[in-house]
Amino acid sequence: MIPGPQNAITDIAGLKVGHAQDDVLKSGVSVLVADHPFTASVAVQGGAPGTRETDLLAPDKSVAQVDALVLSGGSAYGLDACSGVVAGLRADGRGYRVGRAIIPLVPGAILFDLLSGGDKDWAENPYPALGRTAYDAATGTTSIGTIGAGTGAMTAMMKGGLGTASLVLDSGITVAALVAANPMGSVTTPGERHFWAAPFEIDGEFGGLGPDTTMGLGRNLESRKLSAMQERANTTIAIVATDAALDKAQCQRVAIATHDGIARACVPAHSPGDGDLVFSVSTGSIPLAAPSDLGVIGHAAALCLSRAIARGVYAATAAPNDLLPTWRDLNGDV
């Protein structure tokens, strides 16, 4: 397994990512779209999720494919970012057709950044417009850090962010993750230098400092974020994708396995105050060669998600009115 050319979810042919953010609002939206509708499912393991249209992703539901996925800040207000994406898809003539009607299918998930330090005193919900802007900006590359849905994200001890990572398997299948990391837990060990995800790092992609060798880690639950905000003001929301041909049930199994990536990168994870959610996407380009391929894809997706979380936090940049420092504020350039 080696990273793809971009080490990003856009290493999967046909996938595009768009971002939009408002730096005064200190929030934003990220959108995943493709050249064609794609198969998708979802797994929710956090206790405080916020979602739209996720029920239709269950394997027993009749809709086979969707047109886009949305990750957004803004808590419940951010769910309206999906409406902006729906408008963009409709304008492009894309969506599920029922007679002459076109119905774009756009599931989404949100994180809580309403107390991130930005100006949230809006007269009109800004998220539909941010969703449309993100959709219109979608390209075959993606930036990371303080961008899109990661703009107002925070971890326990430092700013969060938007991250991505990929792996190309020996079979030629590509697996990748895109994540907005806003967990209740920490992404670094005490001292805020070493990432919990360090054992899975490749080629120094988030500093190359290696694992923390201190014994007895995990018992210190200090949180600058909790002191500044509230226990339920959290969530890690992610999309994992592959070009392997998977049905909805197989996508759901991959989404479930991928949650291990959150648990390896955020301590603690899946708490009552987190809305941890993973969407799983298949573009269907490469048939599975063996039943065991599905397990390998789930494992690779978890590895990508751990790395993507750390990469997003590592790349976060400081901005006015931040409540927490960035990793680089605490550690300098590495």
Side-chain angles (χ1 to χ4, degrees), residues 121-136:
D121 189 23
W122 60 72
E124 181 178 348
N125 187 343
Y127 288 96
L130 286 169
R132 179 62 184 268
T133 300
Y135 171 77
D136 290 339

Side-chain angles (χ1 to χ4, degrees), residues 182-211:
N182 184 58
M184 184 186 80
S186 66
V187 297
T188 53
T189 62
E192 289 74 69
R193 185 167 176 82
H194 295 271
F195 286 93
W196 290 110
F200 313 107
E201 184 177 14
I202 300 174
D203 296 333
E205 62 193 337
F206 41 89
L209 297 174

Side-chain angles (χ1 to χ4, degrees), residues 6 50 83 119 183 185 200 209 211 260-261 292 306 310 314 322 327 334:
Q6 301 179 65
S83 297
D119 181 4
F200 313 107
L209 297 174
D260 289 350
S292 60
S306 291
Y314 179 72
D322 281 349
W327 187 90
V334 175

Side-chain angles (χ1 to χ4, degrees), residues 189-190 194 196 211-219:
T189 62
H194 295 271
W196 290 110
D212 191 335
T213 59
T214 306
M215 301 291 286
L217 293 171
R219 294 178 292 169

Side-chain angles (χ1 to χ4, degrees), residues 31-116:
V31 177
L32 180 80
V33 297
D35 294 336
H36 307 283
F38 48 80
T39 303
S41 193
V42 67
V44 181
Q45 299 294 337
T51 61
R52 168 170 159 159
E53 295 272 44
T54 50
D55 281 356
L56 62 79
L57 300 178
D60 65 320
K61 300 303 184 288
S62 59
V63 171
Q65 295 181 313
V66 299
D67 299 292
L69 293 172
V70 172
L71 306 179
S72 179
S75 189
Y77 301 101
L79 293 174
D80 275 349
C82 297
S83 297
V85 177
V86 166
L89 286 161
R90 186 178 186 277
D92 288 340
R94 295 190 54 182
Y96 183 74
R97 293 186 177 269
V98 181
R100 297 174 60 187
I102 300 175
I103 308 169
L105 300 176
V106 184
I110 49 87
L111 58 80
F112 186 100
D113 59 7
L114 296 179
L115 302 177
S116 63

Side-chain angles (χ1 to χ4, degrees), residues 18-330:
H19 305 292
Q21 65 275 340
D22 183 326
D23 293 331
V24 175
L25 183 70
K26 205 179 280 288
S27 186
V29 176
S30 297
V31 177
L32 180 80
V33 297
D35 294 336
H36 307 283
F38 48 80
T39 303
S41 193
V42 67
V44 181
Q45 299 294 337
T51 61
R52 168 170 159 159
E53 295 272 44
T54 50
D55 281 356
L56 62 79
L57 300 178
D60 65 320
K61 300 303 184 288
S62 59
V63 171
Q65 295 181 313
V66 299
D67 299 292
L69 293 172
V70 172
L71 306 179
S72 179
S75 189
Y77 301 101
L79 293 174
D80 275 349
C82 297
S83 297
V85 177
V86 166
L89 286 161
R90 186 178 186 277
D92 288 340
R94 295 190 54 182
Y96 183 74
R97 293 186 177 269
V98 181
R100 297 174 60 187
I102 300 175
I103 308 169
L105 300 176
V106 184
I110 49 87
L111 58 80
F112 186 100
D113 59 7
L114 296 179
L115 302 177
S116 63
D119 181 4
K120 305 301 196 295
D121 189 23
W122 60 72
E124 181 178 348
N125 187 343
Y127 288 96
L130 286 169
R132 179 62 184 268
T133 300
Y135 171 77
D136 290 339
T139 66
T141 62
T142 180
S143 299
I144 61 174
T146 306
I147 189 171
T151 300
M154 294 185 286
T155 76
M157 301 302 287
M158 63 192 68
K159 284 186 73 170
L162 186 113
T164 189
S166 69
L167 285 171
V168 181
L169 312 186
D170 294 346
S171 62
I173 289 169
T174 300
V175 180
L178 179 74
V179 61
N182 184 58
M184 184 186 80
S186 66
V187 297
T188 53
T189 62
E192 289 74 69
R193 185 167 176 82
H194 295 271
F195 286 93
W196 290 110
F200 313 107
E201 184 177 14
I202 300 174
D203 296 333
E205 62 193 337
F206 41 89
L209 297 174
D212 191 335
T213 59
T214 306
M215 301 291 286
L217 293 171
R219 294 178 292 169
N220 182 348
L221 299 180
E222 181 184 1
S223 174
R224 295 188 182 106
K225 181 180 181 180
L226 187 58
S227 298
M229 299 171 61
Q230 297 180 18
E231 183 181 359
R232 298 179 68 85
N234 314 284
T235 289
T236 296
I237 48 177
I239 302 168
V240 295
T242 181
D243 50 13
L246 306 181
D247 60 25
K248 285 174 72 176
Q250 290 170 320
C251 282
Q252 186 182 60
R253 178 49 51 188
V254 170
I256 292 168
T258 305
H259 272 278
D260 289 350
I262 297 177
R264 295 168 184 163
C266 306
V267 178
H270 304 136
S271 76
D274 283 297
D276 296 341
L277 172 149
V278 176
F279 292 111
S280 177
V281 168
S282 166
T283 62
S285 301
I286 302 176
L288 296 182
S292 60
D293 285 352
L294 184 62
V296 176
I297 290 168
H299 169 60
L303 294 177
C304 286
L305 184 50
S306 291
R307 295 164 49 226
I309 289 169
R311 291 190 74 210
V313 175
Y314 179 72
T317 52
N321 302 315
D322 281 349
L323 299 185
L324 297 181
T326 66
W327 187 90
R328 283 188 170 84
D329 288 337
L330 296 167

